[in-house]
Amino acid sequence: MSSKIPVGILGATGIVGQRLLSLLDQHPWFEPVWLAASERSEGKTYVEAARWRLAQPLPARFAGLTVQGPEPATCPTRVVLAALDAAAAARIEPAFAAAGKLVISNSSALRMHPEVPLLVPEVNPEHLQLLERQRTGELGRRGGGAITNPNCSTIGLVLALAPLARGFGLRRVQVTTMQAISGAGYPGVASLDILGNVVPYIANEEEKMESETRKILGRLTRDGIEAAATQVSAQCNRVAVEDGHMETVSVELERKAGLDEVRAAMAGFRGRPQELELPTAPAQPLILLEAADRPQPRFDAERAGMSVLVGRLRPCPVFDYKFTLLSHNTLRGAAGAALLNAEWLQAEGRLPA
Ligand code: NAP
C-alpha cells in the first residue's frame, strides 16, 4: 500500500467521483488518501456525504474518511484527480494548480485554455507537451499544472474519428447524440422531464463537442494547438437511459477509401496506452460490432468499459460513411479517462514526485 502514489480527489462525492473511487479501490499504482467536496459534505464521513449510486458497493476503507473542503492547504498530495461541478472547478482547479498540484480534471472549466492539454492518450499524446508551457504561467509557476479529458460525448466521437483522420483525412463530421441521464450528474434531470421522453437540448453540449473535437484532432505548433480544419456539426439529445452515450455519425473523408479500408483502420487502431499496457487501458480502443441492431446501451454499455463500440458501419449517400457508436459516459467518458491520463503521465515520468 505504502509504495503506491497518494492522490487526492476533488468532487469525490459526485457520480464521477464515485466511479473514480471504485476504479481506484484495487488500483496497482494509486491510493486515494484525501477526498474533498462542497460545504454540504465537508466534515462528514464519506459514507454520510455521498449518495452512493453505483451497483458496486462503496469500498469499506473509504467509507470512514472525512470529506474535506476544497482547500489546497489541507491536501497532502501533489496529484489531484478532479470531478467537480464545472462552475466550482473554474475557481478551484486553478487554485490547486497554482498551489503546486497537478490537477487531472474531468470538468469543462480548463479544457479550452490555450495552455491546457485536452488529452485522449490514444489520439493526441503529443499535446502533453503543452504542460511545459504552463511552467511560466499562473497554473504551473509552483510546479503544478492542469490537464483535462474531454466531455463525455466528445471522447467516444474522437476515438472513432482518430483512425479516419490519420488514415484518410476528415473533411466534415455530422453527429447526433442520445445521451444517458447519468451524464447530468446527481440528481441530474428531473424524472418528470425525462421519463418516456427525449429532451433535444443539453446546455453548451453541442458547442463543446464541436470545439473540443477540433482541438483534440488539432496540431501542436510553436504557438499552441492549431484546431483541425474538420467541420463538425453536433446535435445533442438527453434520453431516458441510465448509462451510455450513443451517437450516430456521418463522415466525409479527404481521400476516398473503401469500406474494408475504413473498417480495418478502425479495428486496428491502437495508441500509447495499449503499447504501455496501462492498467486502465482497453486492449482495443474501438470494437467493431457486426450485428445489425447493436450497440444498444442496455446490453452493451457495461461491457464497453473503456472501449468504444462501433456498429452499423456503412456507406452514407450524403457523406462517405456512417456508423453508430456507444461509449460509457462515466467510465471512458469521465473517471476512466482521467485515471488513464494519470497512468499515462506516470508511465511517461511526468507525475510530480
Ligand atoms: P455531480 O454528481 O453533480 O458531482 C459534483 C461534485 O462536485 C460533487 O462531489 C460536489 O460535492 C462537488 N462540488 C459541487 N460544488 C462544489 C463546490 N463549490 N466546492 C467543492 N466541491 C463542489 O457531477 P458529476 O456527474 O460527478 O460530474 C463532475 C464533473 O465531471 C462535472 O464537471 C461534469 O461536467 C464532468 N463530467 C461528467 C460526466 C458524467 O457522465 N457524469 C462525464 C464527463 C465529465 P457535494 O456532493 O458536496 O455537493
Side-chain angles (χ1 to χ4, degrees), residues 11 13-16 37-38 40-41 83-85 107 152 182-183 185-186 329 333-334:
T13 50
I15 293 257
V16 177
S38 75
R40 182 192 71 76
S41 304
L84 289 166
D85 166 82
S107 105
C152 44
S182 60
Y186 186 85
N329 51 295

Side-chain angles (χ1 to χ4, degrees), residues 324-339:
T324 301
L325 70 82
L326 177 71
S327 70
H328 196 299
N329 51 295
T330 63
L331 272 174
R332 183 79 226 207
L339 190 51

Side-chain angles (χ1 to χ4, degrees), residues 10-18 36-42 49-51 67-70 82-89 91-93 105-109 111 149-153 180-188 205 208 238 243 245 328-331 333-335:
L10 278 165
T13 50
I15 293 257
V16 177
Q18 294 179 21
S38 75
E39 279 178 1
R40 182 192 71 76
S41 304
E42 186 176 351
R51 299 179 192 90
V67 178
Q68 308 292 319
L84 289 166
D85 166 82
R91 176 174 52 81
I92 295 168
E93 289 180 355
S105 167
N106 275 287
S107 105
S108 59
R111 282 186 201 138
N149 49 259
N151 170 283
C152 44
S153 45
I181 306 166
S182 60
Y186 186 85
E205 194 82 353
K208 284 183 198 166
R238 186 75 69 195
D243 286 317
H245 288 354
H328 196 299
N329 51 295
T330 63
L331 272 174

Side-chain angles (χ1 to χ4, degrees), residues 122-123 159-164 166-168 259-275 282-290 307-308 310 313:
E122 286 97 336
V123 177
L159 277 160
L161 295 181
L164 308 182
R166 265 184 217 169
F168 318 110
L259 182 59
D260 286 347
E261 275 183 280
V262 171
R263 189 187 301 278
M266 290 177 118
F269 178 60
R270 302 285 186 280
R272 290 291 289 151
Q274 287 70 41
E275 285 164 27
Q284 229 180 303
L286 294 176
I287 297 175
L288 269 70
L289 306 179
E290 296 305 326
S307 297
V308 175
V310 175
L313 175 61

Side-chain angles (χ1 to χ4, degrees), residues 19-290:
R19 279 273 175 208
L20 271 171
L21 274 185
S22 179
L23 291 170
L24 285 165
D25 182 34
Q26 300 295 330
H27 198 275
W29 299 354
F30 302 122
E31 175 64 16
V33 298
W34 180 86
L35 309 180
S38 75
E39 279 178 1
R40 182 192 71 76
S41 304
E42 186 176 351
K44 296 180 184 167
T45 60
Y46 186 79
V47 71
E48 290 168 342
R51 299 179 192 90
W52 190 257
R53 304 302 305 163
L54 302 185
Q56 302 86 336
L58 162 59
R61 65 206 174 87
F62 302 136
L65 292 182
T66 301
V67 178
Q68 308 292 319
E71 299 301 328
T74 69
C75 175
T77 67
R78 291 290 308 279
V79 179
V80 176
L81 295 159
L84 289 166
D85 166 82
R91 176 174 52 81
I92 295 168
E93 289 180 355
F96 271 69
K101 316 287 183 191
L102 180 65
V103 179
I104 299 174
S105 167
N106 275 287
S107 105
S108 59
L110 293 172
R111 282 186 201 138
M112 297 307 290
H113 187 296
E115 286 167 4
V116 174
L118 177 51
L119 288 172
V120 183
E122 286 97 336
V123 177
N124 61 343
E126 68 283 4
H127 289 196
L128 183 58
Q129 289 173 41
L130 275 187
L131 202 51
E132 295 307 320
R133 301 182 196 189
Q134 293 177 21
R135 297 281 167 252
T136 50
E138 277 301 297
L139 293 172
R141 69 189 148 83
R142 293 187 57 199
I147 67 166
T148 57
N149 49 259
N151 170 283
C152 44
S153 45
T154 306
I155 199 157
L157 181 67
V158 290
L159 277 160
L161 295 181
L164 308 182
R166 265 184 217 169
F168 318 110
L170 266 180
R171 191 165 287 142
R172 291 191 293 172
V173 176
Q174 202 280 319
V175 55
T176 299
T177 69
M178 289 148 270
Q179 299 183 215
I181 306 166
S182 60
Y186 186 85
V189 189
S191 56
L192 275 179
D193 287 338
I194 197 68
L195 271 176
N197 202 12
V198 173
V199 181
Y201 175 70
I202 304 173
N204 303 321
E205 194 82 353
E206 294 173 354
E207 294 81 354
K208 284 183 198 166
M209 280 195 88
E210 293 166 1
S211 58
E212 290 179 17
T213 299
R214 295 182 63 235
K215 178 172 178 179
I216 295 163
L217 296 179
R219 200 167 59 88
L220 180 69
T221 72
R222 280 197 310 191
D223 301 323
I225 303 295
E226 182 186 300
T230 308
Q231 287 178 277
V232 183
S233 171
Q235 301 189 68
C236 296
N237 304 283
R238 186 75 69 195
V239 298
V241 161
E242 191 180 343
D243 286 317
H245 288 354
M246 194 137 109
E247 305 177 15
T248 54
V249 186
S250 296
V251 294
E252 182 182 11
L253 307 176
E254 276 171 4
R255 174 174 83 70
K256 297 301 166 198
L259 182 59
D260 286 347
E261 275 183 280
V262 171
R263 189 187 301 278
M266 290 177 118
F269 178 60
R270 302 285 186 280
R272 290 291 289 151
Q274 287 70 41
E275 285 164 27
L276 294 164
E277 297 184 3
L278 299 176
T280 302
Q284 229 180 303
L286 294 176
I287 297 175
L288 269 70
L289 306 179
E290 296 305 326

